[in-house]
């Protein structure tokens, strides 16, 4: 049975240029002018995991992001890596959204994309590092979730065993779609876009 997988990604400031980020003294907002943006590293691993699952079972990988118009670049990179479609949630009203608002907006975006079997996210972003959005997203969608995933093994298209990192080892969790899984960067080595993909 083919699986419909949604991958949530975020465009973030390049960590190598964090020293160039400043705070506007009047508004208190973060100023990122002149700071290059990249796709959040954990999210690249989430996309790679989704593509590997699609290669095994077939289906569709949709990529969803929320951000300013330039976040489209991260979607284009994801499509070049092998994603089937992408969508961006973009409105000036979303600027400065906290994790709860972000998860609520992403859940609306997921619903607009249609039925899903899995949502795969990076465990956290390099700019916020809260790790809250995947669990909040699962709550808004009323589906189970597993965080800190270091390995996903599908028994079949209807059941997966997820190894979840804990303080002194890992837990094996059985999960059935629909579900949200957030992955750690050591889950895989992600592929680069191909010339044909670009």
């Amino acid at each position: 049975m083919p699986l419909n997988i949604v991958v949530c990604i975020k465009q973030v400031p390049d960590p190598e240029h964090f020293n160039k980020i400043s705070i506007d003294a009047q508004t208190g907002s973060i100023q990122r002018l002149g700071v290059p943006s990249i796709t959040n590293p954990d999210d690249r691993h989430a996309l790679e995991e989704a593509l590997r699952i699609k290669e095994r079972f077939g289906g569709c990988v949709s990529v969803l992001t929320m951000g300013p118009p330039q976040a489209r670049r991260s979607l284009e990179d994801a499509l070049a890596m092998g994603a089937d479609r992408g969508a961006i949630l973009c409105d000036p009203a979303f600027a400065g959204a906290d994790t709860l608002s972000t998860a609520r907006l992403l859940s609306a975006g997921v619903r607009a994309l249609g039925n899903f079997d899995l949502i795969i996210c990076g465990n956290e972003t390099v700019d916020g590092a809260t790790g809250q959005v995947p669990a909040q997203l699962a709550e808004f969608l009323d589906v189970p979730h597993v965080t800190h995933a270091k390995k996903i093994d599908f028994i079949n298209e209807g059941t997966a065993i997820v190894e979840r990192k804990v303080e002194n080892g890992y837990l094996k969790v059985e999960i059935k779609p629909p579900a949200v899984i957030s992955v750690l960067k050591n889950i895989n080595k992600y592929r680069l876009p191909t010339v044909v993909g670009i």
Side-chain angles (χ1 to χ4, degrees), residues 88-133:
I88 182 170
L89 304 174
C90 182
D91 191 296
F94 301 163
D98 63 8
T99 61
L100 195 61
S101 299
T102 298
R104 183 180 296 276
L105 290 163
L106 287 173
S107 70
V110 168
R111 285 188 184 98
L113 288 172
N115 292 332
F116 67 92
D117 297 297
L118 282 179
I119 298 173
I120 305 178
C121 309
N123 204 66
E124 62 184 32
T125 59
V126 294
D127 60 345
T130 65
Q132 296 172 344
V133 171

Side-chain angles (χ1 to χ4, degrees), residues 112-172:
L113 288 172
N115 292 332
F116 67 92
D117 297 297
L118 282 179
I119 298 173
I120 305 178
C121 309
N123 204 66
E124 62 184 32
T125 59
V126 294
D127 60 345
T130 65
Q132 296 172 344
V133 171
Q136 292 170 334
L137 176 60
E139 286 299 310
F140 281 122
L141 294 169
D142 195 28
V143 297
H145 68 278
V146 179
T147 59
H148 297 88
K150 68 184 201 92
K151 186 176 182 183
I152 303 171
D153 279 327
F154 271 85
I155 298 169
N156 54 52
E157 65 274 2
T159 306
I161 302 295
V162 180
E163 288 187 11
R164 181 184 187 275
K165 186 176 184 284
V166 293
E167 190 172 350
N168 293 314
Y170 65 90
L171 294 173
K172 284 189 174 183

Side-chain angles (χ1 to χ4, degrees), residues 1-5 53-61 115-118 154 157-158 177:
M1 178 180 84
L3 295 172
N4 287 320
I5 306 169
I53 294 167
K54 176 190 165 188
E55 286 166 357
R56 181 171 173 195
F57 297 110
C60 177
V61 174
N115 292 332
F116 67 92
D117 297 297
L118 282 179
F154 271 85
E157 65 274 2

Side-chain angles (χ1 to χ4, degrees), residues 7 10 17 24-25 31 34 72 78 95 101 112 131 145 178-179 185 195-196:
V7 180
K10 182 181 181 186
H17 299 273
D24 185 298
Q31 300 297 308
R72 178 186 170 105
S101 299
H145 68 278
K185 64 183 175 187
V195 173
V196 173

Side-chain angles (χ1 to χ4, degrees), residues 10-26:
K10 182 181 181 186
Q11 191 177 64
V12 296
D14 188 332
E16 293 186 19
H17 299 273
F18 274 0
N19 60 328
K20 296 178 185 172
I21 296 174
S22 62
I23 305 292
D24 185 298
Q26 290 183 336

